[in-house]
Amino acid sequence: MQRLYRKRIVLGVGGGIAAYKSAELVRRLRDQGAEVRVVMTSGGREFITPLTLQALSGHPVHLDLLDPAAEAAMGHIELARWADLVLIAPTTADLMARLAQGVANDLLTTLVLATNAPIALAPAMNQAMWADPATQANRVLLQQRGIRLFGPASGSQACGDVGMGRMLEADDLAQAAADCFERSLLTGLHLLITAGPTQENIDPVRYITNHSSGKMGFALAEAAAEAGARVTLVAGPVFLPTPDRVQRVDVVSARDMLTACEAAMPCDLFIAAAAVADYRPEMIAPHKLKKDPSKGDGLLLQMVRNPDILATLAGREDRPFSVGFAAETENLLEYATRKLRDKNLDLIVANDVANPSIGFNSEENAVTVIDRQQHETRFSQASKGHIARQLIAFIADRFHQA
Ligand code: C5P
């Protein structure tokens, strides 16, 4: 389970022999889904090369406060804001002392002062240095300020001593980092969502589509990412920015959408919020269709059924918990209940698109969710963002009960 999925971790590497474990730590954090940026002190660079950590983190290592090239790429204040967690491993006695005093005489200590993210230290030092009253006073001060300490552990040390001061192993540190984040409703789950309309080509310049803006689907993707899910958003042609930490796949037609959804499987939950065209022209004309007076004033377009993406995914052996949308202009609850049954869904979200203040292209929505027992839960009119967060909480709850 990727408990650190898309979490942003600044890993500070201080100057201690335990820095060799930092290389492994970068890998463990990334295995759990985290994005890692490394900041090294000058001491850290004496023990492990920036190149090693650059290769493992996949990003240039930040070294100096006054490096114009690094500042241009991602300045230290930007890095401080970017972080969801600042983890310093190893933290030397000197670093603890400087942090306790609020000294900002290099990039790492400056960043610690500038960040609002939680800070965690993994001390690593000789047992006598750890036991020294000065280090212990610094430890107390740092902990009083809410800085977390991961370890140290006790055991044999590189210098030959035995006692407290060993840095925790990479696996334990990655675990402790994951524990800094609350387990949210959808932590560790993969949620796939479709959004927006589809476009079905008639000829190279014309297509059939619908009024879907994609706003509801995008709001759901954002709310699901906030709730800790790994989110894949398969979007038809819409003009909306990709929500933070969401993996977006753009598609055009219903068949493209199905292919993209199948490629994104397996997933734990599937929400079909797209307004998929039920039919497409049987043939896409290779050239622009011309007016043909011999056929009178009409034009006959032969249409064929598109695959039902939701029914296809909900019918698979590895079927996800499946949630559909029913946008109707009449007999809302009756039609929605029928769809729930016919498409083998767990939940269906019914919305009345005949009401112009909600539904297609509007900023607000009001929906009723129906489950397999035909229980109805109503969410009254509110912004699509608000409805999305309520729906995600409801869906997560039902998923965990299932
Ligand atoms: O049958 P109808 O189009 O009304 O069903 C709506 C629900 O089914 C929506 O959740 C929509 O995203 C999904 N759907 C689909 N593929 C289709 C048609 C609809 O996934 N071809």
Side-chain angles (χ1 to χ4, degrees):
M1 188 186 282
Q2 290 202 311
R3 283 190 54 202
L4 289 171
Y5 180 71
R6 289 266 171 128
K7 292 285 186 263
R8 294 161 177 166
I9 299 182
V10 168
L11 175 65
V13 177
I17 180 61
Y20 78 90
K21 296 187 192 173
S22 309
E24 187 63 23
L25 176 57
V26 174
R27 296 196 57 176
R28 293 286 87 85
L29 293 170
R30 293 193 71 193
D31 286 349
Q32 295 234 26
E35 289 180 47
V36 182
R37 298 282 198 284
V38 178
V39 176
M40 297 182 87
T41 65
S42 54
R45 272 173 267 168
E46 301 294 328
F47 289 92
I48 180 169
T49 71
L51 196 59
T52 303
L53 296 174
Q54 172 173 322
L56 292 171
S57 68
H59 294 279
V61 170
H62 300 257
L63 302 170
D64 295 307
L65 190 53
L66 304 175
D67 174 352
E71 283 294 294
M74 184 180 321
H76 64 281
I77 298 294
E78 214 179 330
L79 194 57
R81 288 201 194 113
W82 176 88
D84 293 322
L85 172 71
V86 177
L87 167 59
I88 305 181
T91 306
T92 58
D94 172 65
L95 258 173
M96 281 180 72
R98 286 192 286 142
L99 294 174
Q101 293 306 313
V103 173
N105 58 352
D106 64 6
L107 176 57
L108 183 57
T109 49
T110 304
L111 198 133
V112 166
L113 285 189
T115 194
N116 286 325
I119 298 160
L121 310 180
M125 65 195 76
N126 164 271
Q127 53 83 25
M129 292 173 78
W130 174 252
D132 189 274
T135 304
Q136 288 305 309
N138 290 333
R139 173 184 65 77
V140 170
L141 200 57
L142 291 165
Q143 284 180 311
Q144 279 169 351
R145 289 195 202 128
I147 292 182
R148 296 160 212 228
L149 260 76
F150 297 167
S154 175
S156 64
Q157 301 200 298
C159 53
D161 280 4
V162 176
M164 283 290 273
R166 273 172 63 93
M167 188 164 92
L168 295 187
E169 298 305 321
D171 272 338
D172 299 327
L173 288 174
Q175 193 58 45
D179 290 342
C180 288
F181 298 99
E182 269 178 46
R183 290 180 64 82
S184 329
L185 293 170
L186 295 174
T187 300
L189 298 172
H190 180 203
L191 184 142
L192 174 63
I193 179 160
T194 62
T198 63
Q199 265 177 17
E200 309 297 333
N201 287 341
I202 299 170
D203 65 19
V205 296
R206 302 184 181 92
Y207 54 80
I208 296 172
T209 189
N210 60 63
H211 289 298
S212 170
S213 63
K215 285 177 194 155
M216 194 63 225
F218 275 59
L220 284 162
E222 184 168 9
E226 276 169 18
R230 173 163 77 87
V231 181
T232 307
L233 169 63
V234 178
V238 292
F239 300 97
L240 292 172
T242 308
D244 205 14
R245 304 176 200 226
V246 165
Q247 171 84 34
R248 174 173 176 173
V249 183
D250 284 314
V251 295
V252 176
S253 70
R255 287 189 296 175
D256 297 343
M257 191 173 265
L258 176 60
T259 305
C261 287
E262 287 178 326
M265 287 291 284
C267 69
D268 302 288
L269 298 106
F270 177 51
I271 303 179
V276 184
D278 289 325
Y279 295 91
R280 66 176 183 277
E282 186 173 31
M283 306 272 283
I284 302 174
H287 298 289
K288 187 180 169 192
L289 291 177
K290 308 303 280 179
K291 290 181 277 294
D292 182 352
S294 71
K295 293 191 178 147
D297 283 340
L299 170 72
L300 261 183
L301 209 53
Q302 182 66 34
M303 307 280 278
V304 290
R305 279 295 290 269
N306 264 329
D308 191 307
I309 300 162
L310 179 53
T312 305
L313 265 59
R316 283 170 58 128
E317 216 162 275
D318 61 349
R319 89 182 270 288
F321 185 91
S322 301
V323 182
F325 270 73
E328 304 290 348
T329 54
E330 56 179 354
N331 302 332
L332 181 63
L333 299 179
E334 185 196 326
Y335 286 163
T337 310
R338 198 180 302 162
K339 267 173 209 169
L340 175 92
R341 204 183 44 237
D342 292 349
K343 300 193 190 208
N344 189 28
L345 308 182
D346 296 282
L347 298 170
I348 192 144
V349 183
N351 66 334
D352 176 3
V353 285
N355 178 346
S357 70
I358 57 174
F360 280 158
N361 237 327
S362 61
E363 294 304 322
E364 300 207 322
N365 206 352
V367 298
T368 302
V369 183
I370 304 167
D371 66 15
R372 286 178 182 235
Q373 285 71 43
Q374 296 192 18
H375 290 140
E376 292 172 14
T377 309
R378 205 175 149 63
F379 297 89
S380 51
Q381 186 163 344
S383 71
K384 285 185 172 171
H386 186 72
I387 294 275
R389 283 189 293 277
Q390 287 181 304
L391 278 178
I392 288 294
F394 184 85
I395 291 167
D397 191 46
R398 291 304 180 94
F399 169 82
H400 290 297
Q401 280 172 24

